[in-house]
Amino acid sequence: MRLIFAGTPAFARTALERLHAAGHTVALVLTQPDRPAGRGMKLQPSPVKQFALEQGLALAQPTSLRLDGVHGEQAAQARALIAQAQAEAMVVVAYGLILPQWVLDAMAGPGQRGCFNIHASLLPRWRGAAPIHRAIEAGDAQTGVTIMQMDAGLDTGPMLLQSALPIAPDDSTATLHDRLAALGADLMLHTLAQADALQPRAQPAQGVCYAHKIEKSEAAIDWRQPAPAVARKVRAWDPFPGASASLGGETLKIWAAQALGAEGQAQVAAPPGQILAADGQGIVVATGEGGCLRLTQLQRPGGKRLAAAAFLQGHALAPGQCFAVDAQGGAP
């Protein structure tokens, strides 16, 4: 099939690679403009752009697709490229720009199948920008991928295919991301192969959740929360923004942690944020509701991620020390 592909991050690149390898003709790739990244904050191409350049695919990077906006000239150029592509369908995966009505209309002509979207949740749960993070944060037992026919709403279009995926107790956003990216690419290939036979179905009105964009301000651990909730946030914020905790004026990244069971409940008198033990197994910290959390992977500013045993070799911690309780370092 002759396609236009719109996507930006690594999640989208997985789908683009699979579509290209399967023999679909990608007539045009749309991706977001290069962004500053890394310690030098140099402009970096998106993973989708990198693949498009490697394969010599036609590429456009409009800042916006709004014809009446500040970047209307770029949007008009994109509209001309979309028309010239003469594609049968558009595949949209984590593009990062809202598709205006004119884009949907441009893909709704004779012989065209519209805009298909790969969304990393079992819609209508977790519509929005951060469905993987929010599913882990909420403690969902499963997630999945939905292939949706796009409409003017935010992830509200009719569904074509869905496939569920269990969330393992130790899954982070990073590990779940890769499995969902592969699943989404497979489902899209099935969708394109069965495009004439699939019957779109409306999303249920019940169970709608919105997955708000992840903000850096969410990174700081509030030790007053129950241990299971803190552990879920640690997993959800890996790799971005990374859960953080302040100890002695230094901000540490917490990359892995386990909520303790009955063995951790004996020291309920300790205030949230107090270190209860620090050894090769991990650093045990008191949390809210009399719980405990074992930190098993940490990182100092400018350092590497280290298992707790290695971390303690260069950064001695002792029972009785206290992490700041919240982002402002307030006391319980």
Side-chain angles (χ1 to χ4, degrees):
M1 192 177 294
R2 189 174 178 85
L3 304 172
I4 294 171
F5 186 90
T8 299
F11 188 92
R13 174 173 174 149
T14 298
L16 178 57
E17 289 177 348
R18 293 289 299 279
L19 291 168
H20 186 267
H24 292 284
T25 299
V26 182
L28 175 65
V29 173
L30 299 174
T31 193
Q32 288 210 40
D34 296 1
R35 305 291 188 200
R39 293 186 177 181
M41 295 301 289
K42 295 181 179 179
L43 289 178
Q44 299 292 332
S46 74
V48 164
K49 177 180 179 177
Q50 292 173 17
F51 183 79
L53 293 176
E54 291 166 7
Q55 302 300 323
L57 304 176
L59 178 70
Q61 297 178 267
T63 302
S64 170
L65 292 173
R66 287 186 53 185
L67 294 170
D68 59 349
V70 176
H71 303 286
E73 183 176 347
Q74 292 184 36
Q77 293 171 352
R79 182 170 63 175
L81 291 173
I82 288 171
Q84 293 169 13
Q86 298 183 324
E88 298 169 71
M90 179 183 289
V91 174
V92 183
V93 191
Y95 180 29
L97 295 182
I98 294 175
L99 298 190
Q101 187 62 47
W102 72 260
V103 178
L104 302 177
D105 293 342
M107 301 307 301
Q112 293 179 306
R113 303 176 187 273
C115 299
F116 299 124
N117 177 245
I118 299 176
H119 187 74
S121 81
L122 298 174
L123 290 170
R125 188 159 178 80
W126 302 126
R127 293 173 178 170
I132 304 176
H133 304 75
R134 299 305 180 189
I136 294 176
E137 181 191 17
D140 290 1
Q142 67 172 3
T143 183
V145 169
T146 302
I147 305 298
M148 175 183 63
Q149 187 90 49
M150 297 184 71
D151 63 11
L154 178 62
D155 300 330
T156 58
M159 304 180 297
L160 297 168
L161 285 178
Q162 273 191 328
S163 184
L165 194 69
I167 300 178
D170 60 348
D171 263 329
S172 65
T173 292
T175 60
L176 198 54
H177 168 281
D178 292 348
R179 299 206 306 278
L180 287 169
L183 177 60
D186 286 341
L187 278 190
M188 183 53 71
L189 290 175
H190 286 306
T191 299
L192 297 178
Q194 307 171 47
D196 293 328
L198 293 175
Q199 294 297 318
R201 53 193 175 91
Q203 295 185 31
Q206 302 298 319
V208 175
C209 297
Y210 185 69
H212 293 274
K213 180 181 177 182
I214 305 300
E215 303 291 346
K216 288 185 178 181
S217 59
E218 297 182 72
I221 291 174
D222 183 350
W223 298 102
R224 294 168 294 194
Q225 293 186 345
V230 178
R232 291 196 302 268
K233 288 179 181 291
V234 170
R235 293 189 289 117
W237 301 165
D238 179 8
F240 177 86
S244 63
S246 179
L247 181 67
E250 184 176 54
T251 300
L252 306 178
K253 289 288 187 180
I254 312 300
W255 293 111
Q258 302 166 346
L260 298 182
E263 71 274 17
Q265 301 300 317
Q267 304 182 65
V268 293
Q274 181 173 308
I275 295 175
L276 305 176
D279 54 34
Q281 289 186 309
I283 299 154
V284 180
V285 184
T287 63
E289 299 184 3
C292 301
L293 192 73
R294 176 179 285 130
L295 314 182
T296 57
Q297 189 180 80
L298 305 91
Q299 181 180 11
R300 296 183 70 182
K304 299 179 179 180
R305 293 192 189 196
L306 295 173
F311 181 86
L312 290 171
Q313 290 178 6
H315 192 68
L317 300 178
Q321 288 180 273
C322 289
F323 285 96
V325 173
D326 57 21
Q328 288 74 40

